[in-house]
Amino acid sequence: MNKGLIAITSLAALAGAVAFAQREQSAGTNWSYPQGDAGGSRYSTLTQINTTNVARLQRAWTFKTGSGRFASSPMVVDSVMYFSAPNGVYALDAVTGTQIWKYAPVAEGEAPGSPSSPSPDADGGGGGRSASSAGTALRGPTYWPGTKEVGPRIYSTTSPGLAAIDAKTGKLVTTFGQNGVLPGINPASFPVIYKNILITEGDVEAKRGKTVKGWDVVSGKQVWTFYTKAQSGDPNREKTWLNASADSDATPDIWGMFTVDEERGILYVPVEKVSGPGNNDYWGGGNHGNNLYSDSLVALDALTGKMKWHQQLVHHDIWDYDIAAAPTLIEVRRNGEVIPAVAQYTKMALLFIFHRETGEPIFGLEERAVPQTTAPGEWTSPTQPFPVKPRPLARNTLTRAQLAKVTPEHQALCEGLWDKYKLEDAVPYMPWRTDRDVLVLPGAQGGGNWHGLAFNKDLGLVFATAMTAPQWGHLVAGGGRGRRGRAATPPPSNAPVSMSKSTPEQRRFWDNEKQWSCAEPPWNELIAVNANTGDIAWHVPLGEFAELIAKGVPPTGTPSAGGAITTAGNLVFIGATVDGYFRAFDARTGKELWRDKLPQPNQGAPTTYQGRDGKQYVVIGANGGGFFNAPVGDEVIAYTLK
């Protein structure tokens, strides 16, 4: 693999490194990482709640934030729960749900570093701030256990920047960074920590592009920088940024979640598509070429930021197929050998599995020919990468004969759209056109998405959700939608006219009111993949529409935006679906064993832990929101056996 140019700004902090506390390799009593462990497995060793008794789960407590959606799994350490909501960072008693402290950035007139007062409500919440005042990340903070000399901390995105918060008191640690904050460092997802290095999504540097940055975890002093755009001296710059387009401010961006192989000291970074001049979600005419290291899984030395290997998973992305899910560390057992692997799930519903140390595909990788653009000024790659195994986890083709027929009215709607707009059969990586509407499967919400995977190492199974919500439309002149809803940046003066995607009706290729896909069911599935063979072990519909169930239609699956966790009790827990249920499945078979109707749908991921009372709990945020118009709430709900 070619290596990108790395700027190492300082290694001085490494020389004086002190002994740092170690956390559990797997979640058990504690869930001390946002993803359960550093490798993102979302696996717990707890077995108190298992397949024989999960039907007895009942609510233990409810906490209200007075805010809205958060998507990260709450962390739990020694029966204290940490998470962030739009209005602040919280610490709760994980056994009773009582608020211990809440931190939000200081407003004018408040004392520096003071936490907000606990709510007078028994259920928590309050704090006197608006739902968006704290500037926290949707995908939450991270916990650091500290050292013998330094106490534990929570690192969280806040409106002024990345804040270091005392985990015991909720006060800002003013010796970190600039008065407790790294100004302008506002990652969209939680930071990760390897030894004494705090690693975050960084800022954008003019011309050089988006960064990943390593900081001294105690002081906040910058240690290293990695650029997501191939730099001067890297042969991938000229090869993959044609017509000197790398010299502009266009850059591959980042908003997803990092993971770390703590044994090998490797950081795994999912990089998204190009943003900036000449680009938007569905147009890349200002930057011809494959644009490394966009839409890539990049492996870095966690101590230095130097690239070890990369694999680009989408060439010149014009479909909003950002790579954002946490790369999940798994084990592949083959011929008596245990292969350390990393699994990267994607919006394309493709599951790529690579050797952690070398980046070599475990089950093969093929560059396959794909349709080419006819849009003036656009560029497309002749091929795109596909894993040989596993098969695509969701539909990526569609014909008229495969349109949904769940009711006569829905069939008529979908066939009417197909005929009215003279749609043609969809195949992977259909490029947008100016002269007609085209279908693209999966759509920009997946397939998969940021919520990624869970891995049960006892069973050797990888769990994923796979949604079928096609997108469609055509290109029109104008910049259109930029990254994450921002207006597209004007292109350089010598770039072709920018275009953007326009959808004639229904937003997605579905019934917009009902959110019923126009592709035949299943519309969403929970899928188990055998990590040792790449084969599908089982798959079941995830979610149901009450109206269709009442008509005798089997469960179809519903749109979802959230992930699963798995346990040694042979369970998979997941909310995520817009029908609002929190479910438990038998991890071995996919059989649903339990469900509870939430006040609002979960659009995140659950957590499990053992409290000081000896009970195992499962907790989930019932706070809605997201792309599928789930009603917004503010509840955090814990369950235990009764």
Side-chain angles (χ1 to χ4, degrees):
M1 298 293 170
N2 291 314
K3 296 186 177 181
L5 183 68
I6 311 297
I8 309 298
T9 59
S10 170
L11 291 175
L14 301 181
V18 294
F20 289 86
Q22 297 297 312
R23 286 179 275 183
E24 305 93 331
Q25 292 299 305
S26 297
T29 299
N30 295 329
W31 187 281
S32 60
Y33 297 81
Q35 300 282 305
D37 53 45
S41 74
R42 296 193 190 143
Y43 167 80
S44 171
T45 59
L46 296 180
T47 60
Q48 186 179 107
I49 302 171
N50 55 60
T51 56
T52 68
N53 60 21
V54 68
R56 292 166 34 210
L57 272 188
Q58 295 184 22
R59 296 186 188 185
W61 54 258
T62 297
F63 177 84
K64 296 183 178 181
T65 66
S67 187
R69 178 192 180 201
F70 64 88
S72 189
S73 298
M75 299 171 292
V76 179
V77 180
D78 297 333
S79 292
V80 178
M81 179 178 295
Y82 304 98
F83 65 94
S84 63
N87 64 354
V89 182
Y90 288 85
L92 310 181
D93 184 316
V95 173
T96 66
T98 303
Q99 182 173 303
I100 299 171
W101 55 255
K102 174 187 172 187
Y103 172 81
V106 174
E108 187 175 353
E110 290 186 14
S114 63
S116 299
S117 299
S119 165
D121 287 336
D123 286 335
R129 297 185 184 274
S130 68
S132 60
S133 64
T136 54
L138 180 66
R139 283 163 289 278
T142 200
Y143 171 84
W144 178 58
T147 71
K148 291 181 179 179
E149 298 83 13
V150 182
R153 297 177 181 177
I154 300 296
Y155 293 95
S156 176
T157 298
T158 64
S159 47
L162 188 76
I165 304 163
D166 188 305
K168 299 293 186 183
T169 67
K171 294 182 179 181
L172 203 62
V173 181
T174 56
T175 56
F176 176 82
Q178 297 181 26
N179 296 317
V181 173
L182 298 178
I185 302 301
N186 298 89
S189 298
F190 52 83
V192 297
I193 299 166
Y194 177 69
K195 294 187 176 179
N196 66 321
I197 307 296
L198 172 70
I199 304 167
T200 71
E201 169 195 343
D203 51 2
V204 177
E205 297 183 14
K207 305 301 182 184
R208 305 193 75 176
K210 186 69 173 182
T211 62
V212 179
K213 292 191 173 181
W215 317 82
D216 183 284
V217 72
V218 176
S219 69
K221 183 177 181 180
Q222 187 173 326
V223 177
W224 57 255
T225 298
F226 169 79
Y227 296 94
T228 62
K229 179 166 66 173
Q231 299 292 293
S232 297
D234 182 343
N236 284 322
R237 186 178 178 90
E238 285 69 34
K239 287 180 182 177
T240 68
W241 295 80
L242 306 182
N243 307 319
S245 59
D247 295 337
S248 76
D249 282 327
T251 179
D253 213 336
I254 292 175
W255 61 272
M257 296 173 282
F258 305 167
T259 51
V260 178
D261 184 330
E262 293 185 316
E263 179 182 349
R264 295 169 177 82
I266 302 175
L267 170 72
Y268 299 96
V269 177
V271 182
E272 64 152 313
K273 76 182 301 292
V274 175
S275 65
N279 294 270
N280 58 51
D281 283 349
Y282 307 105
W283 174 257
N287 297 278
H288 290 186
N290 286 345
N291 307 139
L292 285 172
Y293 296 93
S294 68
D295 292 278
S296 296
L297 174 59
V298 176
L300 306 178
D301 185 309
L303 285 179
T304 68
K306 291 183 177 179
M307 185 186 290
K308 300 178 78 70
W309 57 262
H310 77 275
Q311 286 279 5
Q312 189 173 54
L313 308 183
V314 186
H315 306 320
H316 192 77
D317 184 358
I318 57 171
W319 303 274
D320 195 22
Y321 278 162
D322 310 329
I323 309 302
T328 303
L329 305 191
I330 68 172
E331 294 177 345
V332 176
R333 298 179 183 274
R334 180 188 291 169
N335 301 323
E337 180 186 7
V338 179
I339 302 170
V342 55
Q344 181 67 63
Y345 194 34
T346 66
K347 290 185 178 183
M348 304 87 73
L350 301 178
L351 176 55
F352 295 87
I353 302 177
F354 304 108
H355 195 290
R356 290 187 217 168
E357 296 174 345
T358 66
E360 295 303 313
I362 299 295
F363 296 108
L365 188 71
E366 296 177 346
E367 288 283 343
R368 299 176 187 169
V370 293
Q372 295 299 287
T373 185
T374 59
E378 185 56 277
W379 184 96
T380 45
S381 171
T383 64
Q384 293 288 349
F386 291 79
V388 176
K389 293 177 76 173
R391 63 150 173 88
L393 301 191
R395 176 186 296 279
N396 61 6
T397 62
L398 187 67
T399 68
R400 192 180 187 283
Q402 294 169 328
L403 295 179
K405 303 175 181 64
V406 291
T407 68
E409 296 80 9
H410 188 59
Q411 180 178 352
L413 168 70
C414 297
E415 291 179 350
L417 291 173
W418 185 288
D419 295 339
K420 178 179 178 180
Y421 293 100
K422 298 180 174 58
L423 299 177
E424 297 178 346
D425 294 353
V427 299
Y429 297 101
M430 286 285 286
W432 305 105
R433 296 176 56 161
T434 58
D435 58 339
R436 66 182 307 127
D437 292 288
V438 298
L439 282 169
V440 172
L441 285 87
Q445 292 303 309
N449 209 316
W450 60 268
H451 32 81
L453 306 169
F455 175 58
N456 190 312
K457 59 184 179 182
D458 296 332
L459 300 176
L461 294 177
V462 176
F463 303 103
T465 61
M467 190 169 63
T468 298
Q471 284 192 285
W472 66 308
H474 59 275
L475 291 175
V476 296
R481 181 173 178 263
R483 303 301 309 125
R484 292 191 291 279
R486 297 195 296 268
T489 307
S493 58
N494 61 346
V497 174
S498 286
M499 295 188 178
S500 58
K501 178 177 71 70
S502 176
T503 302
E505 295 183 41
Q506 302 290 335
R507 294 178 61 234
R508 296 177 176 86
F509 192 56
W510 65 5
D511 182 317
N512 208 43
E513 180 180 351
K514 298 177 182 293
Q515 299 190 108
W516 297 357
S517 175
C518 277
E520 62 186 0
W523 296 333
N524 194 10
E525 289 189 299
L526 179 63
I527 299 177
V529 179
N530 186 319
N532 303 322
T533 66
D535 297 321
I536 306 302
W538 53 259
H539 55 103
V540 295
L542 181 62
E544 59 192 43
F545 289 102
E547 181 179 347
L548 292 178
I549 294 294
K551 294 177 182 293
V553 178
T556 57
T558 74
S560 67
I565 64 172
T566 183
T567 74
N570 292 325
L571 293 171
V572 174
F573 288 99
I574 187 168
T577 52
V578 296
D579 64 6
Y581 282 101
F582 183 30
R583 294 174 167 91
F585 295 85
D586 189 317
R588 299 163 298 184
T589 65
K591 180 181 179 181
E592 184 178 318
L593 301 176
W594 170 86
R595 65 166 67 181
D596 185 49
K597 182 75 169 180
L598 299 171
Q600 293 85 26
N602 164 258
Q603 300 283 271
T607 290
T608 189
Y609 57 93
Q610 183 174 302
R612 63 180 178 277
D613 57 359
K615 295 181 180 180
Q616 182 181 352
Y617 292 81
V618 185
V619 68
I620 195 165
N623 39 52
F627 276 92
F628 303 115
N629 302 317
V632 176
D634 69 344
E635 297 187 30
V636 181
I637 302 173
Y639 297 81
T640 193
L641 294 173
K642 296 294 184 181

